[in-house]
């Protein structure tokens, strides 16, 4: 294994992680809800539940507004999407369907679930991490260029 | 009041995603690429978030109501079933294909990146497809 020292950013990663943890803590302690993004958004479909939708939309609005707020103080960090349009559609469908079937994503299982020491979320996190690693291995090393 | 706090939480969460590097799909794929030049940064994102989360759930788990008076809605499901594993496997494949999970998808949209919009629309379609499936 070789480490990519040029892109290694432990301090900003840790600082960002602490902010994500803070957001998780605030939503739990003030709203009594789990900061699981796929669940917050997915529960709005197929039609928004009465009396339980406004906070979900407000949360999504905050997420969408974050880049604008950030850009008022500093230039947004570079963001590079290598996936082509077809790959993006397939990836989006899998992420949307999979997170609903599996009851969570990186935030709901990975951050909240592990924080409350849930065995179910540990299994979920190990599963999506393992498949994430495997998928990148297959598309970059086993069949390079398969996504091009 | 809970609408304002949810908006602020969304903002803070989003800023965390941007600062951490999770908003950059190329960096996420660099983390998932163990066999290439591996960038372990995102392990620090999880570490930082969980460190705060452990304290929050320790406090929250002892309360019946939130600071704003809402009931604490903490998941109670415990079963380790096929649905959990298959769902998270599909999610992991999608995550590994594009390097985007749900939160960062919204950050890309908010940053005006067209690929983010395509991903999020497909993700919403995938969520909708699941909801419309007959439930057993």
């Amino acid at each position: 294994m070789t480490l990519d020292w040029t892109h290694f950013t432990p301090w900003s990663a840790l600082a960002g992680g602490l902010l994500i943890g803070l957001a998780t803590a605030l939503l739990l302690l003030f709203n009594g809800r789990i900061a699981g993004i796929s669940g917050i958004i997915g529960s709005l479909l197929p039609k928004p539940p009465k009396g339980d939708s406004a906070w979900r939309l407000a949360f999504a609005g905050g997420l969408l507004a974050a880049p604008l707020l950030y850009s008022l103080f500093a230039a947004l960090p570079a963001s590079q999407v290598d996936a082509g349009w077809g790959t993006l559609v397939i990836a989006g469908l899998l992420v949307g369907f999979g997170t609903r079937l599996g009851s969570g994503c990186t935030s709901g299982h990975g951050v909240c679930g592990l924080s409350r020491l849930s065995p179910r979320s540990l299994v979920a996190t190990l599963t999506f991490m393992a498949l994430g690693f495997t998928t990148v291995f297959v598309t970059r090393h086993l069949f390079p260029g398969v996504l091009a | 009041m809970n609408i304002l706090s949810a908006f602020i939480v969304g903002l803070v969460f989003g800023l965390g995603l941007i600062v951490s590097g999770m908003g950059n799909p190329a960096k996420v794929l660099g983390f998932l690429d163990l066999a290439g030049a591996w960038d372990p940064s995102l392990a620090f994102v999880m570490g930082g978030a969980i460190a705060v989360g452990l304290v929050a759930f320790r406090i929250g788990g002892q309360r019946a109501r939130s600071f704003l008076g809402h009931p604490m809605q903490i998941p109670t499901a415990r079963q380790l079933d096929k649905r959990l594993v298959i769902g998270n496997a599909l999610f992991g494949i999608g995550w590994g294909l594009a390097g985007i999970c749900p939160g960062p998808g919204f950050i890309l949209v908010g940053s005006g990146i067209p690929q983010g919009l395509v991903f999020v629309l497909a993700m919403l379609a995938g969520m909708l497809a699941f909801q419309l499936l007959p439930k057993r």
Side-chain angles (χ1 to χ4, degrees):
Chain A
M1 177 183 287
T2 51
L3 285 182
D4 183 1
W5 292 109
T6 50
H7 292 108
F8 184 48
T9 51
W11 295 112
S12 57
L14 187 64
L18 292 172
L19 279 172
I20 292 169
L22 173 66
T24 299
L26 291 174
L27 195 67
L28 178 74
L29 297 175
F30 281 85
N31 293 43
R33 305 305 291 241
I34 295 287
I37 293 174
S38 59
I40 292 175
I41 304 300
S43 296
L44 288 165
L45 301 168
K47 68 174 201 278
K50 275 208 175 69
D52 195 39
S53 294
W55 75 273
R56 298 175 188 275
L57 292 168
F59 178 87
L63 271 182
L64 288 170
L68 179 67
L69 178 65
Y70 187 99
S71 67
L72 297 178
F73 299 96
L76 279 171
S79 187
Q80 182 190 334
V81 183
D82 295 324
W85 300 107
T87 305
L88 285 166
V89 170
I90 294 168
L93 288 169
L94 285 168
V95 169
F97 190 89
T99 51
R100 294 308 282 154
L101 181 64
S103 312
C105 60
T106 340
S107 51
H109 282 309
V111 175
C112 296
L114 295 188
S115 291
R116 59 190 185 86
L117 310 176
S118 155
R120 192 170 137 83
S121 287
L122 178 63
V123 170
T125 304
L126 291 175
T127 304
F128 73 68
M129 294 289 293
L131 269 294
F133 286 129
T134 306
T135 302
V136 172
F137 182 75
V138 169
T139 57
R140 283 199 176 173
H141 303 285
L142 228 44
F143 301 104
V146 71
L147 294 183
Chain B
M1 201 51 198
N2 72 327
I3 295 171
L4 179 65
S5 68
F7 179 75
I8 293 169
V9 167
L11 267 181
V12 176
F13 203 113
L15 291 176
L17 288 172
I18 296 167
V19 170
S20 69
M22 288 290 292
N24 181 0
K27 189 168 181 70
V28 174
L29 292 177
F31 170 71
L32 292 175
D33 189 5
L34 286 176
W38 188 48
D39 174 5
S41 306
L42 298 192
F44 289 70
V45 184
M46 284 289 259
I50 291 171
V52 180
L54 278 169
V55 179
F57 280 93
R58 180 60 66 87
I59 298 168
Q62 294 168 346
R63 299 180 60 92
R65 292 195 167 263
S66 74
F67 295 157
L68 294 179
H70 301 290
M72 301 297 276
Q73 299 193 38
I74 296 173
T76 51
R78 300 195 58 83
Q79 69 276 22
L80 305 175
D81 50 13
K82 261 195 299 195
R83 181 181 153 166
L84 180 77
V85 174
I86 294 172
N88 281 284
L90 294 176
F91 164 43
I93 294 170
W95 191 37
L97 283 176
I100 311 171
C101 54
F106 284 90
I107 297 303
L108 294 177
V109 173
S111 306
I113 295 172
Q115 285 99 330
L117 187 60
V118 169
F119 174 88
V120 167
L121 289 176
M123 179 179 84
L124 294 174
M127 290 176 163
L128 187 62
F130 172 74
Q131 298 295 344
L132 296 179
L133 275 187
K135 299 285 181 291
R136 270 170 296 173

